[in-house]
Amino acid sequence: MVERVRVAVVGVGNNTSALVQGLALYRQSGSLVGIRRPMIDGLGVGDIDVVAAFATSAEKIGRDLTEAIFLPPNNFLRLNCDLPRAGVPVTKGLVDAAEVERVAAALAGAEVLLYSAPSGRPHTARAYAEAARTAGVAFINTTSDPVARDPDVLHRFEEAGVPLLGDDLASQFGTSVLHNALLRLLQERGLTLVSSYQVNLGGTEDFRNLVDNPNTKKQSKLNALSESHAAGTVEVAPLGYLPHLASQKVAHLNIEAQGWGETAVSLDVKLKVHDPSGAAGVNIDLIRIAASALRNGRGGHSAEATPSLKSPPGTAI
């Protein structure tokens, strides 16, 4: 019988809600709807247990994880599943780097630490990464803050034999994935790109935070497109926060190009998805990749994770 992966999560927001509820749904239903890879190195979608959770919200600390994921400002929808109590109380998260040792001790029993806090807090992200490395726990950075693409941090994980996957999720079917696919299609068909842009609007707390603290997010989105466009021809507009969208994201893409005889080609696309679902659909793979790497003694980054990330090692900070 396969040994379940023991996961700790940082951040008890919408993405964690989508992951925790989804794990329960797939265990109960046996469905494969929305699953990209049913098995990874012998690990199925249901072979994951969340054993620890960290947050800074006073309202969530001390609550059972399955209760905390529904507290405001979380607004991800409730999936059609029974959700028994997890028996995992939410623990006070790391406030400053001096608490690395406390967090490392709290990771005892975990194999993977999924960092799913808001982007725009690079010092916090690296402190959690250090706690994971100290504890010998694989670290996944789902945010745009540079961790895995920092050569010094990556080197320390490699030396310790601890997996480090990041940075920034390429959502299961999000704006960057779709935009990149369309730009590559232009290249394959011999069209010349004139200009292109993307606009992203959302109503989650992550969107609100990124409007106030955009920091590395724009660069990370451009990293995801860097191989498919000429420099300076693609623009990523600042994110927009619209509370009434709740957990949904609305994206608008425009592409202007030229075909044979320099004739104009114009494309406009609208994408509407539940953003936390897109994150969970990728996190489920990254968790299993990280656990497999840890169990097999492979430290540092795993190339198997690269297609699921916007800014893997080697991309711009």
Side-chain angles (χ1 to χ4, degrees):
M1 183 176 179
V2 67
E3 180 185 356
R4 288 176 181 260
V5 181
R6 302 180 302 281
V7 179
V9 296
V10 176
V12 185
N14 282 308
N15 291 354
T16 296
S17 176
L19 178 66
V20 170
Q21 290 190 72
L23 289 173
L25 185 150
Y26 286 111
R27 280 180 188 153
Q28 293 164 22
S29 69
S31 169
L32 293 178
V33 173
I35 300 298
R36 181 185 177 194
R37 301 176 64 180
M39 299 292 293
I40 295 179
D41 293 338
L43 294 168
V45 172
D47 295 328
I48 294 171
D49 291 326
V50 179
V51 298
F54 300 90
T56 56
S57 169
E59 291 75 17
K60 295 177 182 177
I61 294 170
R63 301 285 191 102
D64 188 82
L65 177 62
T66 54
E67 180 184 5
I69 58 175
F70 296 115
L71 295 177
N74 291 12
N75 53 19
F76 181 63
L77 48 77
R78 288 180 179 253
L79 300 183
N80 185 26
C81 63
D82 294 324
L83 197 62
R85 287 180 63 85
V88 177
V90 177
T91 302
K92 181 181 179 182
L94 186 150
V95 178
D96 58 57
E99 295 186 294
V100 166
E101 292 296 332
R102 174 180 69 83
V103 173
L107 291 174
E111 294 178 281
V112 177
L113 179 59
L114 179 71
Y115 183 74
S116 192
S119 293
R121 303 171 184 174
H123 298 299
T124 302
R126 294 188 191 194
Y128 272 108
E130 180 62 20
R133 188 186 67 83
T134 300
V137 172
F139 187 75
I140 301 171
N141 178 32
T142 73
T143 77
S144 59
D145 297 325
V147 178
R149 65 189 190 274
D150 182 317
D152 292 335
V153 176
L154 181 60
H155 179 66
R156 289 199 293 273
F157 271 79
E158 289 171 341
E159 282 195 323
V162 178
L164 171 61
L165 308 186
D167 298 318
D168 203 6
L169 297 179
S171 185
Q172 188 175 21
F173 195 79
T175 317
S176 296
V177 170
L178 179 58
H179 202 174
N180 200 36
L182 291 172
L183 293 173
R184 286 186 179 278
L185 182 61
L186 253 68
Q187 288 183 329
E188 292 171 6
R189 304 307 296 175
L191 278 74
T192 299
L193 178 65
V194 175
S195 65
S196 184
Y197 66 80
Q198 62 169 264
V199 178
N200 294 274
L201 307 170
T204 65
E205 190 69 2
D206 288 338
F207 263 86
R208 187 195 66 76
N209 173 70
L210 285 167
V211 168
D212 296 334
N213 303 288
N215 291 358
T216 56
K217 191 64 178 181
K218 179 175 180 178
Q219 182 59 58
S220 187
K221 281 184 167 291
L222 289 172
N223 286 345
L225 303 171
S226 61
E227 295 182 359
S228 58
H229 71 275
T233 57
V234 177
E235 182 61 42
V236 176
L239 297 174
Y241 173 60
L242 299 175
H244 72 273
L245 290 178
S247 69
Q248 294 185 104
K249 176 174 72 176
V250 178
H252 298 274
L253 302 174
N254 168 265
I255 294 175
E256 303 294 333
Q258 290 182 323
W260 174 263
E262 300 183 353
T263 56
V265 176
S266 183
L267 177 66
D268 286 285
V269 178
K270 177 182 177 181
L271 172 69
K272 190 173 184 179
V273 295
H274 281 279
D275 212 30
S277 290
V282 173
N283 281 333
I284 193 67
D285 291 351
L286 291 175
I287 289 169
R288 291 178 291 168
I289 291 170
S292 177
L294 182 73
R295 293 175 180 184
N296 287 282
R298 302 192 304 270
H301 189 67
S302 172
E304 188 178 3
T306 296
S308 298
L309 301 165
K310 289 191 183 80
S311 297
T315 55
I317 295 177

